[in-house]
Amino acid sequence: MVSCLLLQALVAAPATAEGVDGLQRAPVAAVTQDALGQKGDQNAQTALFLPFDAQTGIAAFWSGPDFIVVADQPVPAMMRASGGTGVFSGLTVTVLDHATLLRIPLPQHPALRLSRQKEGWQLQAPEPASLQKKDGQTALAPSAAAGGAVAPASAAASTSAPAPATTAAATSASATTTTGAATSASAGSSSPSPSSTVTLSSTGAALAGKPSSGGGGGAASLHTITAQPAPGYVLFPLQQPGHEFELPDPATGARLLIATSRTASGGVAQAQHAVGYSVRPTLEGVVVEADADQIVMQGTAKGAVLHAVSLHPVPVGLPVPEPVTEAARQKDWQWFGLQEASPATLSAEREEKLAALAKASPRQKKAATFAAAQAAFASGAFQKAATLLADMPETTPDSGSASAAGSATQRPEIALRAASALLAGNLKGAQALAAPEWISLLEFHLWQGLYGLYAGQNSQRTAILLAAGFAQAQHYPAPLRDRIAPVMALYIARYGTPATVRMMEPLPDGPAYDLPRALLQAREGKTETARVALENLTASDDAQRAAIARTEIVRLMQDADLIAPDMAADVYRKLLKGENGASPAPADIRTLTAVGLAHALIRNGEPKVALSVLEGLQPSADVPEDVLAEAYRAALYRLVFNGASASLGLPPGSEEELSVTQRTALVAQGLPHVPDGAEKAKLLLGYGRLLLEAGHADTAATAFSQAIAMQADPQARAEGEELLAQAAMQAHQLALAQMALDHAVSPLMPDDLAARKAYDAARVAQARGETEKAQALLAHDESDAGLDLRGQLYEADHHWADAVLVVGRLASRGLPQDGALTEAQRALAFRLATDAAAARDWETLLRLKDWLAGRTLGRERDALFTLLLRQMPRSPASH
């Protein structure tokens, strides 16, 4: 079937301006089967079907010796694909909370073919016998086993129309150096077809970042993603983009920014390198290795956008034009209709424009409406401006995108609509501010930061944008400045780094800045000064400011250990309910108060109650998404790592009263609220240990696999692999255990981890009946576990004398000279006795008898021990 699709004639069409292939015109059907395996009559050795539906995007690339496929949705059905057949026999699948990771060991980097099918995707690799050399390239040759001829990339391309339209999409060498954008020549475009296929004709060359001996990227695939550099960013156009997320590189631990595609895009043909990041070649989607933390990837309707968020950003894309120093000439002043005038003058200007609008003719109506909206915005009447613009027909059909190609009249209208909606409380109407084109205009970084603030986006990135624009906001006309600058200052004081806080120095005078000033005093360690200031603010006439002050003073006192956690929790509850004369917290402050309550409950040993408080909360201007996620993480850490400690002295109702099963259930419910990363990986390792304790080895193995996928540190990954091996052995999955041990490598592996790995490998060998291998692995292991397993191996082979030597060493350190014996010690003593009797080692048996000195092993064991003693000859010395 695939062969027929590949040989199907393709109708050439002009390439779009975004470098895509036009396949988006073909509707993508949803998955009609939920099964894994081979498609039709495809050879099971060379084809793997991936049941990802039309709403699931994928990325595919090489990571060292492994081929990686990442789907941006959890697909539990893929778990059944682990341990595939033939060339894919080493396949492992890890299902994360928000993604699915496929890892296929293919050290030789064979040529691969990825096809978009109606029900999902098809991954194909050639059989070794079907690889043929031609013109210096390794190409896919016809394979009868595959059900027909499989065309190489060049042959597939030749089935296009005789005169396909081609477009050169290369950038200059200097632009490539600056942007790191992948550039290549498009091989043409095809019309919609039931199946879209992309291939690599050179054996792993393009995907491995090596130059192909057969030519440039245009010959490598039918279609490729051609990066589009712009001032301050790079756009990777995708016709049907999926989602963006971060994962560490399985081979190196490097930070990967991944953007998926829901249709065949051809991937990135060639590797590119730039300051702070590099773009990897892919078979599908976009993968960027980010060396600098400030490099981020943002999803848009047009594709993935790469840019830097920092007070001193690295160059990404084309150079950003120098900002205009004269305020009146800046785009925000022009488009918003700002002017340096008193509030009274601005109000009079607004009334004048409204009067002119009332008298305007139909032909003048739109221009008069826009002028009136500008005047209303400049005077601080943001709701009025938003209302006027809502009644004005839009210039563009899609106001949700600030198009760089828009006319001079379109962009001012889009900007004013979005800014007015934002300050009027209509976040949905302000979504245009999230468009990447504003990155090219430095004066609009402030507005992107304000959008991030009200949308509850990442606090660190938002604080950087706000801090960089704080001086700009101070020069706005008073109505606009007084509306946004105090909000910006409060956010930066609460969540900003020391570097971003310094961008506000000196903080302006006036009561509007008293709250952020108090928070900065608290950060500087001036606890008492900050406390007094917050106390005074609780009596403010501004209800919102007073509510924030009440919540912040509780947090300040708790952080300074001035009040106990239980008292803090009680105060937070009263603030939420409005008890003791205090007004209930306003709706927009309740999330901040509720998160404060959750943290107090966590510190008080009540993580279960804390999770119930957090349930249903959404990111807000006061509680960004990462701050809310941190509250979830803190609660889950308490459940996982402190729940079993009897020395905590926790009050009734704490997690001490929760069983292991209850704790694991709570952790499972909370994990999706914690973003993927090293912190979640640590949490998953502890969660997996809890599951092992509860006897859920299969679920524990899943948790360990997830932790490994999120962990960048080689030693931490090795520890996770060793734990995965333990869980796999308990679940009787020896192949998985062996694979985990093979992956458990680290340049500086600690001795204890190396010993545990050797012990685990010996257990796997024992389970497989490879006794000699197990003994060799344990030859230098003198740990209790190692001696115990060595003794078991000797006992299983009836090597009783060796068993006595090993178990005897174990008993010499485990059996006390006096005092009652524990059950484990009694079992160990009786084990040594039986081994000694079987070896006819009467001296050891007598020494054990003397060592026990009449101490009981239990009624039944005592009787059996007496029988063993009776087997001794009367004169042991004669033996």
Side-chain angles (χ1 to χ4, degrees):
M1 183 182 73
V2 172
S3 303
C4 296
L5 293 174
L6 285 172
L7 296 175
Q8 176 180 338
L10 302 176
V11 180
T16 68
E18 297 176 348
V20 294
D21 56 20
L23 293 175
Q24 72 280 1
R25 303 184 191 90
V28 182
V31 170
T32 57
Q33 68 178 52
D34 182 18
L36 299 170
Q38 312 313 318
K39 186 82 169 98
D41 60 351
Q42 294 298 325
N43 188 299
Q45 304 296 311
T46 61
L48 180 68
F49 178 67
L50 311 177
F52 299 139
D53 64 18
Q55 302 307 312
T56 302
I58 72 165
F61 57 98
W62 287 101
S63 171
D66 299 335
F67 187 71
I68 306 296
V69 179
V70 178
D72 59 15
Q73 301 286 344
V75 185
M78 284 301 305
M79 291 299 295
R80 285 176 274 163
S82 289
T85 59
V87 71
F88 301 122
S89 60
L91 169 68
T92 58
V93 179
T94 303
V95 179
L96 306 176
D97 288 325
H98 309 291
T100 302
L101 175 64
L102 281 68
R103 183 174 178 177
I104 310 171
L106 298 170
Q108 301 303 316
H109 281 204
L112 297 175
R113 187 189 304 274
L114 189 62
S115 308
R116 188 68 173 99
Q117 305 289 319
K118 180 180 179 180
E119 300 89 356
W121 294 81
Q122 182 103 332
L123 180 65
Q124 290 177 277
E127 294 181 85
S130 66
L131 287 175
Q132 295 183 352
K133 295 284 184 179
K134 182 179 180 181
D135 299 330
Q137 290 187 335
T138 303
L140 287 175
S143 172
V150 181
S154 56
S158 69
T159 60
S160 301
T166 59
T167 346
T171 60
S172 66
S174 59
T176 299
T177 302
T178 303
T179 65
T183 58
S184 61
S186 172
S189 303
S190 64
S191 62
S193 63
S195 171
S196 309
T197 303
V198 293
T199 75
L200 291 175
S201 58
S202 178
T203 308
L207 285 183
K210 304 174 183 177
S212 171
S213 59
S221 63
L222 294 175
H223 320 286
T224 56
I225 299 171
T226 303
Q228 299 178 357
Y233 69 94
V234 175
L235 171 67
F236 296 93
L238 295 168
Q239 192 60 37
Q240 292 191 25
H243 299 290
E244 299 72 34
F245 50 92
E246 296 183 17
L247 277 178
D249 181 12
T252 66
R255 174 175 173 245
L256 300 183
L257 307 178
I258 300 173
T260 62
S261 175
R262 290 184 284 130
T263 57
S265 68
V268 176
Q270 296 176 343
Q272 295 290 325
H273 303 278
V275 178
Y277 71 95
S278 59
V279 182
R280 290 194 177 186
T282 65
L283 194 58
E284 190 56 70
V286 179
V287 177
V288 173
E289 181 175 329
D291 302 319
D293 292 339
Q294 60 178 267
I295 301 295
V296 298
M297 186 175 284
Q298 172 187 344
T300 71
K302 297 179 181 180
V305 169
L306 192 75
H307 62 110
V309 180
S310 172
L311 295 175
H312 307 287
V314 299
V316 178
L318 301 178
V320 179
E322 290 294 327
V324 178
T325 55
E326 185 181 345
R329 295 179 57 202
Q330 293 176 357
K331 292 291 194 296
D332 52 345
W333 281 68
Q334 293 177 2
W335 296 352
F336 294 161
L338 305 180
Q339 54 183 303
E340 295 180 354
S342 66
T345 301
L346 294 173
S347 296
E349 177 80 6
R350 179 188 68 219
E351 297 305 320
E352 179 183 336
K353 296 296 184 183
L354 289 173
L357 172 60
K359 299 176 183 179
S361 65
R363 295 183 60 183
Q364 301 170 327
K365 192 80 171 177
K366 184 168 185 176
T369 300
F370 187 72
Q374 284 182 316
F377 184 87
S379 67
F382 309 113
Q383 185 60 62
K384 181 65 175 176
T387 301
L388 288 168
L389 292 169
D391 296 335
M392 184 183 77
E394 296 184 26
T395 300
T396 57
D398 179 15
S399 64
S401 173
S403 174
S407 69
T409 57
Q410 291 173 338
R411 297 198 74 190
E413 178 187 323
I414 293 170
L416 184 61
R417 281 182 183 275
S420 300
L422 183 68
L423 299 185
N426 178 12
L427 191 62
K428 183 177 181 180
Q431 285 180 344
L433 290 172
E437 287 84 356
W438 302 114
I439 298 172
S440 301
L441 299 174
L442 292 177
E443 54 265 56
F444 279 92
H445 290 189
L446 159 64
W447 291 94
Q448 287 202 307
L450 282 171
Y451 178 80
L453 183 155
Y454 288 109
Q457 294 177 352
N458 181 273
S459 65
Q460 296 306 302
R461 297 171 189 169
T462 300
I464 289 172
L465 294 172
L466 295 176
F470 190 73
Q472 173 187 341
Q474 291 298 312
H475 290 91
Y476 277 155
L480 179 57
R481 177 197 67 210
D482 295 344
R483 171 67 173 82
I484 65 175
V487 177
M488 295 166 62
L490 178 61
Y491 191 97
I492 297 168
R494 186 181 281 148
Y495 299 121
T497 64
T500 54
V501 167
R502 284 194 294 271
M503 298 290 289
M504 298 193 299
E505 296 176 351
L507 200 63
D509 296 328
Y513 297 95
D514 285 345
L515 189 53
R517 187 175 292 108
L519 296 187
L520 290 177
Q521 290 168 344
R523 292 182 58 159
E524 295 169 0
K526 302 175 183 177
T527 303
E528 183 59 21
T529 304
R531 187 192 66 79
V532 172
L534 290 171
E535 285 280 9
N536 293 334
L537 286 169
T538 59
S540 172
D541 293 334
D542 187 323
Q544 185 178 39
R545 190 177 304 167
I548 294 176
R550 294 189 190 100
T551 294
E552 291 290 357
I553 197 173
V554 181
R555 185 175 68 146
L556 170 67
M557 297 180 70
Q558 184 181 0
D559 290 344
D561 290 327
L562 297 176
I563 56 174
D566 59 338
M567 183 180 297
D570 186 55
V571 176
Y572 280 126
R573 286 191 179 100
K574 290 177 179 178
L575 290 176
L576 288 170
K577 296 178 181 179
E579 296 179 1
N580 292 348
S583 301
D588 52 352
I589 309 300
R590 291 184 66 84
T591 301
L592 180 67
T593 308
V595 170
L597 171 59
H599 278 293
L601 291 167
I602 294 166
R603 294 183 63 176
N604 197 44
E606 301 178 77
K608 179 181 179 181
V609 184
L611 287 172
S612 67
V613 172
L614 295 172
E615 186 177 359
L617 295 183
Q618 297 297 322
S620 66
D622 291 294
V623 183
E625 58 188 11
D626 54 316
V627 175
L628 183 59
E630 169 58 24
Y632 273 102
R633 189 193 65 81
L636 299 181
Y637 262 49
R638 187 70 186 241
L639 281 168
V640 168
F641 297 110
N642 292 350
S645 176
S647 61
L648 293 176
L650 301 177
S654 72
E655 74 272 16
E656 277 197 311
E657 296 184 353
L658 300 175
S659 66
V660 172
T661 300
Q662 290 173 315
R663 283 157 54 202
T664 54
L666 288 170
V667 173
Q669 294 173 11
L671 278 171
H673 296 282
V674 181
D676 294 344
E679 293 294 333
K680 186 170 184 176
K682 180 180 177 182
L683 181 60
L684 284 164
L685 290 180
Y687 173 54
R689 288 188 176 99
L690 278 180
L691 290 167
L692 280 181
E693 181 183 340
H696 303 304
D698 287 323
T699 313
T702 299
F704 292 139
S705 298
Q706 292 174 336
I708 295 164
M710 298 176 195
Q711 186 58 260
D713 180 66
Q715 184 173 318
R717 287 207 306 270
E719 181 180 359
E721 296 282 10
E722 190 274 329
L723 288 170
L724 173 59
Q726 289 188 34
M729 282 185 285
Q730 289 192 27
H732 307 293
Q733 300 181 38
L734 296 183
L736 176 59
Q738 185 61 61
M739 185 180 299
L741 292 172
D742 293 340
H743 289 160
V745 292
S746 174
L748 300 174
M749 183 178 291
D751 292 341
D752 61 333
L753 179 57
R756 293 201 306 271
K757 177 184 175 182
Y759 172 74
D760 294 336
R763 289 182 59 197
V764 173
Q766 177 198 29
R768 290 176 167 175
E770 301 170 350
T771 305
E772 292 184 2
K773 178 181 177 181
Q775 289 287 12
L777 289 166
L778 295 171
H780 303 290
D781 189 346
E782 290 296 319
S783 66
D784 287 356
L787 292 174
D788 176 59
L789 183 55
R790 288 171 66 187
Q792 292 179 35
L793 294 170
Y794 284 131
E795 290 163 349
D797 287 345
H798 293 183
H799 294 172
W800 301 114
D802 292 326
V804 170
L805 291 175
V806 172
V807 178
R809 290 206 299 278
L810 188 61
S812 66
R813 70 176 68 162
L815 298 180
Q817 189 169 358
D818 51 34
L821 301 177
T822 65
E823 175 57 30
Q825 291 167 344
R826 292 175 180 177
L828 177 58
F830 186 70
R831 177 184 178 187
L832 178 57
T834 55
D835 287 351
R840 304 183 70 79
D841 186 347
W842 310 121
E843 292 182 4
T844 298
L845 194 60
L846 285 174
R847 283 198 301 271
L848 178 61
K849 176 179 178 293
D850 294 338
W851 186 265
L852 294 175
R855 288 177 290 178
T856 181
L857 301 180
R859 180 179 300 179
E860 184 176 347
R861 290 196 189 104
D862 285 343
L864 293 173
F865 188 56
T866 301
L867 290 176
L868 293 177
L869 291 172
R870 290 176 181 173
Q871 295 178 16
M872 291 192 308
R874 294 184 180 181
S875 178
S878 63
H879 297 271

